[in-house]
Amino acid sequence: MASSSSDNSTPKGEPWVWFTSLGLIVGLTMVAGLLGLVLINGFSVFWAPQVPTVKLKDGSEIIGQFVQRRVRPNSPASDPQYERQYQIGLRELNSTSYVWVDELNITDEKFTRETLGLERMENGPAFIIPKTIVDSTGKQHPFIVPNATVDSAGKFHPIYTTAFSLIRAEVDQATLIRERVLDINQNKIGLVNAEMEETRIALRRAEDRQEPTVELTDKLKTLDLKFAELKKEAEEISKLTALGHIEGIDAKGRSVTIPFAGIVRAWEPNRMTTLDRIGLMFSRMQEFLFDAPREANTEGGLMPAIFGTLVMTVFMSMLVTPVGVIAAIYLKEYAKDGPVLRVVRICVNNLAGVPSIVFGVFGLGFFVYVLGGTIDQLFFSDQLKYNNNTPVFGTGGLLWCSLTLALMTLPVVIVATEEALSAVPRGMREASLAAGASKWQTIRDILLPASAPGILTGVILAMARGAGEVAPLMIVGVVKLAPTLPIDGLAPFLHLDRKFMHLGFHIYDLGFQSPDSDAARPMVFATTLLLIILVVCLNLGAITIRNRLRARFKGASF
Amino acid sequence: MSNARFQARPATDQTGRPDFISIKNFGFWYGDKKALKSMSLDIPERQVVAFIGPSGCGKSTLLRNLNRMNDLVDGIRHEGDIEIKGQSIYDPGLEVISLRRRVGMVFQKSNPFPKSIYENVVFALRVMGVKNRAVLDEACETSLRKAALWDEVKDRLNDNALGLSGGQMQRLCIARAIANRPEILLMDEPCSALDPIATGKIEELIHELKAQFTIVIVTHSMQQAARVSDRTAFFYLGELIEYDTTEKIFMNPGQAQTEAYISGRFG
C-alpha cells in the first residue's frame, strides 16, 4: 500500500484502456468467427473433393464424399475414437444419403480413378463406377477405352482413357432439352393457365347473370386444346433424351442405371485437375445464383429467393423513406414543443424496440385482413364470388410484407431524419429565411438536400434490418416455394399480391423444416453467406450514394 | 407582383428620408431575460449605421429584429415598435417573408448553400418564383459585380460554392443578399472571420453599396466602424448609450462610457 502511493510513471487509469479494448476484441472475434464459419461451410457446397472408396472390416465398401469427422459418442475421454461421415448418395438404393463410419472399422481407403460423380434432379447425388454408356441414339459405348502407345524403344504401354467427354456432351444435351421442356411447362402453359382461369371466372359470372356463354365455352375449349398441344410438345421434346443413360455399379456391386435426362452435372472426382474443380465450382455457383431450387429447396439455386428479397427490400425502402421523412419534418420543423410532442417522440423511439413478430401479427390483422379484405370487397368482388372465395389481396403477399417491414423500420428513418435535420448548420437555415424563403421552401430547397446523407444513413439501417427480417414475413406472405416471381412479363408486371420467396425464410425452412437435414446443412450455410453478401451489397450501394452526397456538402461544416 | 418590384424599382431621391428605419421605444426579452432596454433611434436612408459595443450588449439582437430573424427563437417578446418607411414591421397585415425580401442580411459566418455559385446568388429570386432565365442571369451578374466577385467566379458559376475561399464566400453571401434588390442590408459582423485583405475588399464594397442600400452593420472593430459608417450607435448591457454621427462618436463622445469603450479601456 505504501509503495503504491509513491509517484508512479504510469498514469492513473492507463490499464483501463486495455480493458475497453477487450470489448472490441470480443466483438471482432465473434464477427470474424461467424464469417469464417459461414464462409468455410458455405463454400463446401460448391467444392468437389476427391471421393474415396472406403473398405470396411466386414469386407463391404462404400463410395462417398467425406463430410466431417467427430469424436464417437460413448468413446472414453482418455482415448477418444473418431467416426467419419460420408455422403454416399444414391438415396433410392441406400435409403439415406449420409452414413457414419467408425474409424476403427476402416481397413483401407483408395481413390478409384473411374469413380463418377453425378448430380441429379431427384434423389440427390450418386457416386458410381460406370461401365457402359448408352447415348441418345441407343448406341452402347464402354466407359473405359483401352488405348496403347509405343514409346521410343518400341515397347507397348497400355493406357486407359474414359468416355467422360461423351457423358458431358450427353448431359449438356439433356440439360438443353430439360430447359426447353421447362420453358413450355412454366411460361407457355402458365400463360394458357392464367387465361383459362380468367375465362372460367368470366364463365361463372356469365352463368350467374344468365348471359350467353357460348363464346366463353368455345374459348375454354380452344384453350384446353392449346394446353393439350403444349403438353404433347413437351413430351415429344423430352423423348429426345429418353434413350440415353449410364449403366454402372455402386459400392455394393449392385447395378445402377441412371438416365441422362435426370442428370444435372457429371464429374470425375478422382481424375479431374484443380482447374476442373474450380470450373465445377463456378458452374455450381452459377446455378446457385441464377436457377430455381430443386429437391425441396435442398439443391439447385436460389434465384427466386434472392429476387424476392431484393424486390421486397427495395419496395419497403420506397415506402418507408417518404413516410419517415415527412413524419420527421413535421416533428422537427412544425410540431410545437410540448408534452404531446415528447410523448410522440417516446412512442416513435419505443416502436423501434417492439419485437418484429408483433409487427407481423399487426400486419396480418390489419394489412392483410382489414385492408386486403376491403380491397378485395371493393375491387375484386367478382373474383371472390366466382373463384371459390379465393382472396387476391386478402392474403399474404409482397405488398403486405413490404408495408409491415416499412412500419417496423419507420422509427429508424424518422430518428435518423430528425438528427440529420438538426445537424444542418443553423446558418444555412437562417440564410434561407433571411433571403425571403418560406419555411417550406427552406425545408425543400436547403434542409432536405443538406440532410440527405443523414437520411440515407437511416434508410441504410432500415434496409439492413428489413432485408434480414424473417419472423413477421412468415405470417404476411413469404412462402417456402413460390411458383412465380413477383415481377414478370405478365401485365401489370409488378404483382403486389403475389406470395414470394425470401432468403431469410429459406434459411429457416432449410435448417429446421427440411426432411433431410444432412443434405440441407451445407445449403443453410451457403444461403446464409448469400444473405450476408446481399445485405452488404445493398448497404454498399446506399453508402456509395451517401458518400457522393456527402462529398457535395463537404466544407459545409460550420 | 414581387417580380414587378424587382424589375422596376423606382430611383429614390438623393436626399433620402431621415427616419427610413425608425425604432420607437423598442424593448426585447428572451424569455424572462431582458435583452434590450427600451430605446429609440432613426436610421436614415442610404447611409451606413454601425452598431458597436462589447459582447452581449444587444447590438446583434437589435439587428436581428430589423428583419424579424429573432422570430425563430422560442419565448421572445417585444415592446414598442420598429417602422420601415413608416410601416410597422409587426403589422399583422405584413408577411414576414415580404419584410425579409426588403431587408437582406449577411451573417457573421459566411453561409453559402451547398449549391452552385449561380444558384446561391439567384436563390432569393427563385423563392420569389422568378423562372425567366434571362432575368436570373442578369441578376446573377449584376449582384456578383456589385459584390466585386464577378471577375473571380464568372468562369465557374456552376461550381459548388463551398469550393470558394473564406473571403469569396462572404462576398458571395453579400451578392446573394442583394440579388433581389432589397432596400436595407443588415450585416452582422461580416468581417470577423476574414483576413485584413478580404476585410478591406468588403469595406470597399460597403462604400459602393451605400449608394443604393441603407446598411446597418454590427462590428467589433472600432476602426471598421470608423471607416465605413456615417453614424454609429454604442450599446452597453442592452442599453443604447449614444447614437450620433460617427465623427462625433469617435472624436468627441458625449458619454463617458462611450469614450471609455472606444479608447479601449474596457470591452
Side-chain angles (χ1 to χ4, degrees):
Chain A
M1 283 295 136
S3 65
S4 70
S5 67
S6 67
D7 66 336
N8 199 324
S9 58
T10 315
K12 266 218 155 101
E14 195 67 6
W16 288 99
V17 176
W18 296 102
F19 193 71
T20 51
S21 71
L22 203 68
L24 182 68
I25 290 168
V26 170
L28 284 181
T29 316
M30 281 166 73
V31 171
L34 171 85
L35 282 181
L37 184 85
V38 170
L39 217 68
I40 291 166
N41 281 298
F43 264 100
S44 74
V45 175
F46 307 114
W47 189 250
Q50 289 204 312
V51 173
T53 306
V54 180
K55 207 169 207 154
L56 303 178
K57 260 186 186 163
D58 60 3
S60 69
E61 279 182 353
I62 55 168
I63 304 174
Q65 189 172 312
F66 172 72
V67 181
Q68 57 176 331
R69 181 172 184 253
R70 70 172 182 203
V71 175
R72 186 164 55 85
N74 305 326
S75 76
S78 54
D79 176 27
Q81 287 150 14
Y82 292 91
E83 57 180 1
R84 295 178 178 200
Q85 191 184 29
Y86 290 95
Q87 185 186 21
I88 54 171
L90 279 171
R91 202 162 55 215
E92 71 273 30
L93 288 179
N94 295 324
S95 77
T96 168
S97 280
Y98 290 81
V99 288
W100 284 100
V101 178
D102 199 328
E103 271 188 8
L104 294 172
N105 273 337
I106 298 176
T107 56
D108 186 31
E109 193 182 65
K110 62 176 196 283
F111 296 97
T112 316
R113 285 180 55 80
E114 58 264 35
T115 306
L116 188 66
L118 297 170
E119 217 168 282
R120 300 180 299 168
M121 292 297 288
E122 277 164 11
N123 289 321
F127 298 105
I128 59 166
I129 309 290
K131 297 290 176 200
T132 315
I133 298 155
V134 178
D135 68 17
S136 47
T137 59
K139 203 175 155 212
Q140 292 200 355
H141 306 264
F143 182 65
I144 294 170
V145 188
N147 240 328
T149 54
V150 185
D151 68 8
S152 51
K155 201 178 163 196
F156 279 96
H157 291 277
I159 286 183
Y160 297 98
T161 53
T162 61
F164 183 66
S165 53
L166 177 67
I167 293 181
R168 178 165 276 173
E170 289 288 328
V171 169
D172 285 348
Q173 194 194 342
T175 309
L176 279 178
I177 284 166
R178 197 163 48 235
E179 272 163 13
R180 277 172 65 194
V181 172
L182 198 74
D183 177 56
I184 292 173
N185 276 336
Q186 263 182 357
N187 303 341
K188 293 189 182 144
I189 292 188
L191 273 174
V192 173
N193 268 337
E195 214 174 324
M196 276 166 104
E197 195 62 42
E198 251 172 58
T199 319
R200 269 196 208 108
I201 293 170
L203 186 64
R204 269 182 230 137
R205 180 172 44 207
E207 276 168 1
D208 196 44
R209 293 180 185 165
Q210 309 198 324
E211 284 162 4
T213 59
V214 189
E215 219 170 281
L216 288 169
T217 20
D218 281 354
K219 193 177 172 193
L220 211 53
K221 268 178 203 153
T222 339
L223 285 171
D224 269 332
L225 275 176
K226 214 168 162 188
F227 183 88
E229 233 167 68
L230 283 169
K231 273 275 172 218
K232 207 174 158 201
E233 192 189 336
E235 260 169 50
E236 290 288 320
I237 293 172
S238 42
K239 260 184 206 161
L240 290 175
T241 49
L243 279 177
H245 62 267
I246 303 175
E247 285 166 13
I249 52 165
D250 74 345
K252 295 196 172 89
R254 292 172 292 195
S255 71
V256 186
T257 304
I258 298 168
F260 282 117
I263 298 176
V264 180
R265 214 174 263 115
W267 72 102
E268 291 181 293
N270 300 337
R271 280 172 56 93
M272 66 205 300
T273 61
T274 312
L275 215 62
D276 289 337
R277 280 180 221 281
I278 292 170
L280 183 67
M281 184 175 81
F282 278 114
S283 148
R284 283 176 171 177
M285 279 180 175
Q286 193 188 342
E287 185 195 16
F288 185 70
L289 288 178
F290 300 112
D291 284 357
R294 293 182 270 119
E295 293 256 39
N297 294 353
T298 58
E299 275 176 42
L302 288 174
M303 204 277 284
I306 299 171
F307 192 72
T309 311
L310 265 178
V311 170
M312 196 271 300
T313 310
V314 169
F315 199 55
M316 175 207 78
S317 315
M318 278 160 52
L319 288 173
V320 72
T321 311
V323 177
V325 169
I326 288 168
I329 287 174
Y330 183 79
L331 283 176
K332 185 86 194 73
E333 303 293 329
Y334 288 104
K336 276 238 156 30
D337 201 19
V340 180
L341 187 68
R342 249 167 280 151
V343 170
V344 170
R345 279 234 170 83
I346 290 171
C347 289
V348 167
N349 288 339
N350 281 341
L351 211 59
V354 172
S356 56
I357 191 75
V358 175
F359 285 99
V361 173
F362 174 78
L364 184 72
F366 181 70
F367 291 140
V368 176
Y369 291 156
V370 176
L371 277 187
T374 316
I375 290 174
D376 277 0
Q377 294 287 334
L378 291 176
F379 303 107
F380 299 97
S381 52
D382 273 4
Q383 216 117 327
L384 277 182
K385 197 168 169 192
Y386 303 112
N387 197 15
N388 308 323
N389 270 327
T390 312
V392 182
F393 278 99
T395 174
L398 176 65
L399 176 66
W400 306 134
C401 282
S402 305
L403 263 177
T404 306
L405 288 195
L407 190 68
M408 190 186 81
T409 50
L410 191 61
V412 181
V413 177
I414 290 181
V415 170
T417 307
E418 276 203 75
E419 298 281 323
L421 286 173
S422 315
V424 175
R426 207 185 128 100
M428 249 188 238
R429 191 187 297 257
E430 284 184 341
S432 169
L433 291 171
S438 68
K439 191 158 190 174
W440 170 240
Q441 284 172 325
T442 303
I443 291 170
R444 192 193 58 198
D445 295 346
I446 305 299
L447 296 185
L448 277 185
S451 53
I455 294 172
L456 262 170
T457 307
V459 175
I460 291 168
L461 289 174
M463 274 166 65
R465 199 177 162 199
E469 197 56 69
V470 182
L473 299 182
M474 283 163 66
I475 45 181
V476 287
V478 160
V479 286
K480 176 190 170 80
L481 197 67
T484 45
L485 295 174
I487 295 180
D488 65 13
L490 273 173
F493 310 117
L494 173 63
H495 302 274
L496 293 174
D497 56 319
R498 277 192 190 162
K499 292 182 179 354
F500 64 102
M501 291 171 73
H502 185 271
L503 282 176
F505 181 70
H506 202 84
I507 293 170
Y508 165 76
D509 178 66
L510 277 174
F512 302 98
Q513 308 285 304
S514 181
D516 189 351
S517 63
D518 280 322
R521 207 181 52 156
M523 277 296 270
V524 169
F525 284 107
T527 313
T528 310
L529 188 65
L530 188 67
L531 181 58
I532 293 174
I533 292 171
L534 187 77
V535 171
V536 169
C537 284
L538 280 173
N539 285 359
L540 277 183
I543 287 169
T544 316
I545 299 172
R546 182 184 65 184
N547 288 350
R548 277 217 191 121
L549 285 172
R550 220 176 242 168
R552 262 177 56 197
F553 302 122
K554 204 164 58 186
S557 53
F558 32 78
Chain B
M1 128 221 117
S2 351
N3 231 339
R5 185 177 65 75
F6 166 73
Q7 278 167 340
R9 190 179 150 205
T12 41
D13 53 316
Q14 287 304 300
T15 50
R17 66 190 273 179
D19 60 341
F20 192 69
I21 303 172
S22 177
I23 297 162
K24 291 177 174 166
N25 302 318
F26 188 76
F28 188 79
W29 286 263
Y30 288 117
D32 295 333
K33 190 177 155 270
K34 186 156 192 178
L36 293 177
K37 288 175 189 159
S38 180
M39 61 179 65
S40 297
L41 67 155
D42 285 345
I43 295 170
E45 191 169 6
R46 288 195 303 281
Q47 288 206 359
V48 180
V49 172
F51 289 177
I52 60 169
S55 293
C57 68
K59 56 191 190 303
S60 280
T61 304
L62 181 61
L63 186 82
R64 293 167 69 87
N65 265 311
L66 296 180
N67 67 345
R68 290 182 57 184
M69 278 310 275
N70 277 331
D71 287 11
L72 299 180
V73 183
D74 285 334
I76 51 153
R77 196 155 57 83
H78 71 93
E79 62 175 13
D81 201 1
I82 298 174
E83 288 174 1
I84 294 176
K85 286 206 281 193
Q87 190 195 14
S88 167
I89 64 167
Y90 293 104
D91 185 344
L94 176 77
E95 284 275 346
V96 68
I97 290 169
S98 62
L99 168 73
R100 288 182 188 148
R101 283 174 187 171
R102 288 165 60 196
V103 185
M105 188 164 185
V106 177
F107 295 83
Q108 181 175 5
K109 287 177 184 164
S110 60
N111 47 7
F113 303 129
K115 296 170 180 276
S116 68
I117 294 170
Y118 181 88
E119 285 301 326
N120 261 283
V121 177
V122 301
F123 180 77
L125 299 176
R126 285 238 192 258
V127 298
M128 277 161 64
V130 179
K131 289 208 172 66
N132 187 335
R133 188 79 195 184
V135 175
L136 293 176
D137 285 349
E138 197 255 307
C140 178
E141 183 175 344
T142 321
S143 312
L144 284 172
R145 276 191 196 285
K146 275 191 205 151
L149 194 60
W150 175 252
D151 291 332
E152 289 162 62
V153 300
K154 64 183 175 198
D155 299 324
R156 47 182 177 133
L157 289 176
N158 291 319
D159 286 10
N160 195 321
L162 299 175
L164 296 174
S165 74
Q168 286 173 327
M169 277 197 210
Q170 192 61 297
R171 275 179 284 152
L172 178 68
C173 290
I174 294 173
R176 184 177 65 191
I178 60 179
N180 64 339
R181 303 199 191 175
E183 296 156 37
I184 299 163
L185 192 58
L186 308 177
M187 298 177 133
D188 191 356
E189 298 178 42
C191 302
S192 67
L194 301 181
D195 65 62
I197 295 169
T199 305
K201 278 189 180 168
I202 299 227
E203 284 177 8
E204 261 172 51
L205 199 56
I206 293 171
H207 272 300
E208 280 159 29
L209 294 174
K210 202 169 90 173
Q212 282 168 307
F213 304 96
T214 305
I215 297 173
V216 184
I217 178 169
V218 166
T219 179
H220 268 296
S221 155
M222 275 161 287
Q223 289 86 346
Q224 185 173 60
R227 282 195 298 264
V228 301
S229 68
D230 301 308
R231 300 175 75 82
T232 300
F234 172 60
F235 295 83
Y236 186 59
L237 296 179
E239 214 171 335
L240 175 65
I241 304 295
E242 196 172 352
Y243 176 54
D244 213 322
T245 60
T246 301
E247 201 182 304
K248 173 118 191 324
I249 292 276
F250 280 93
M251 295 302 176
N252 186 17
Q255 302 285 328
Q257 275 171 313
T258 317
E259 198 191 347
Y261 182 70
I262 59 171
S263 58
R265 258 177 280 153
F266 79 96

